Amino acid sequence: MIIQQITPQSPFYEAERMLRNEVLLRPIGIPDHAWEMHDHRSWHFVAIDQSQVVGCVVLVPLDEAQQKTQLIQMAVKNTYQGQGVGKKLVAVLEHFALEKSIQLIECHARQEAVNFYLKLGYEVYGEPFEEVGILHRYMRKKMNTTVEQR
């Protein structure tokens, strides 16, 4: 399996879109493609196994200097969950963030994903909140000069 950065012009982009719909949106009744409004200005990372996109994550710049970002749309194909795909995606995303001198990565983690992010060095802040009908937590990671080895 490889983790690769792609753009919306990539041949893997359509498969990324479909995976996001399948894993994140359809199970909670949100229309397909409902969270693509930032895709054109974001950085996309996909996990590819045997020429198939099996995982993805998107990093959205939140400020003009691109030092504050938000990790969104983390999705791993059900048959690949629990195999370290998400961990590898975040590691590549964080390495990219360090190269771009990004200072902060934030995310809105679904309650069931909080422990995943805690293990990767993210911290919970603020009060729990509901987004798309699901309990979420605000999480963030301040980027240091090096990404810890996992």
Side-chain angles (χ1 to χ4, degrees):
M1 176 179 347
I2 62 164
I3 308 297
Q4 179 179 323
Q5 183 181 357
I6 65 166
T7 67
Q9 292 73 41
S10 163
F12 290 113
Y13 178 67
E14 189 61 27
E16 176 201 3
R17 294 175 72 216
M18 293 302 110
L19 181 65
R20 289 157 61 182
N21 292 331
E22 173 190 328
V23 174
L24 300 173
L25 304 182
R26 291 178 191 153
I28 59 172
I30 295 179
D32 284 3
H33 316 298
W35 288 97
E36 296 180 359
M37 68 285 274
H38 303 296
D39 278 8
H40 67 284
R41 63 185 186 91
S42 300
W43 301 289
H44 300 253
F45 302 87
V46 293
I48 301 167
D49 188 33
Q50 299 178 20
S51 300
Q52 300 295 313
V53 173
V54 299
C56 63
V57 65
V58 177
L59 188 63
V60 182
L62 297 178
D63 64 349
E64 216 156 299
Q66 297 183 338
Q67 292 193 341
K68 183 178 175 185
T69 59
Q70 184 176 0
L71 181 160
I72 67 168
Q73 297 289 289
M74 164 71 89
V76 175
K77 198 169 206 40
N78 291 340
T79 53
Y80 283 80
Q81 290 180 7
Q83 298 178 31
V85 176
K87 185 176 172 180
K88 290 175 185 169
L89 281 162
V90 173
V92 170
L93 177 146
E94 288 179 354
H95 182 76
F96 170 85
L98 288 171
E99 289 180 342
K100 297 280 283 179
S101 299
I102 290 169
Q103 303 295 309
L104 182 70
I105 299 173
E106 298 179 345
C107 72
H108 296 176
R110 291 182 183 189
Q111 186 62 47
E112 65 268 15
V114 168
N115 283 336
F116 168 81
Y117 290 108
L118 286 173
K119 289 177 188 171
L120 299 179
Y122 288 74
E123 65 175 352
V124 173
Y125 69 99
E127 295 300 315
F129 66 99
E130 193 174 293
E131 186 173 64
V132 296
I134 297 172
L135 187 62
H136 282 71
R137 296 303 307 262
Y138 292 107
M139 298 191 79
R140 65 183 168 213
K141 184 172 187 177
K142 293 177 183 159
M143 299 305 295
N144 299 322
T145 54
T146 59
V147 175
E148 303 90 32
Q149 293 298 315
R150 300 195 215 309

